[in-house]
Amino acid sequence: MSFPNPKHDLLGFGIVAVDDLIELATFPVSGSKQPFQAKQRQGGGNTGTALVAAARLGARCAYGGLLGTNDLADFIRAGLHAEGIDILKSAAPAD
């Protein structure tokens, strides 16, 4: 069954994640410690990555999973919004 003129082409439910990437000068020796050269935070997770890829290819996308109320959830919200991905109201936790 198809619906005429749907608002979204793709609706994602599932995992969106925050990935913290740490750059080291060399691969560490087992049990050692070393300072990192740089760090970068990116959005990830299977659902988040698929939605971003589809949105960049022109699909109208939305995320319908549950997001928390902390700074990591805010980071995900900002990233999805920047990619033009709608976040459904059901994605906000209940008060």
Side-chain angles (χ1 to χ4, degrees):
M1 172 182 224
S2 65
F3 298 95
N5 301 316
K7 183 176 179 182
H8 300 104
D9 301 312
L10 183 62
L11 175 60
F13 293 95
I15 295 174
V16 293
V18 174
D19 297 330
D20 288 315
L21 307 174
I22 306 298
E23 181 183 332
L24 303 174
T26 61
F27 193 83
V29 176
S30 179
S32 70
K33 295 181 180 181
Q34 68 180 38
F36 60 86
Q37 306 298 308
K39 67 178 181 176
Q40 183 180 28
R41 178 166 278 175
Q42 296 181 355
N46 292 341
T47 302
T49 301
L51 288 172
V52 168
R56 289 180 180 179
L57 291 170
R60 298 168 298 167
C61 299
Y63 178 66
L66 183 64
L67 292 171
T69 57
N70 59 25
D71 62 335
L72 295 176
D74 292 342
F75 178 81
I76 291 295
R77 281 186 190 87
L80 293 176
H81 178 75
E83 294 289 346
I85 299 168
D86 292 336
I87 299 174
L88 302 182
K89 291 182 181 181
S90 62
D95 292 330

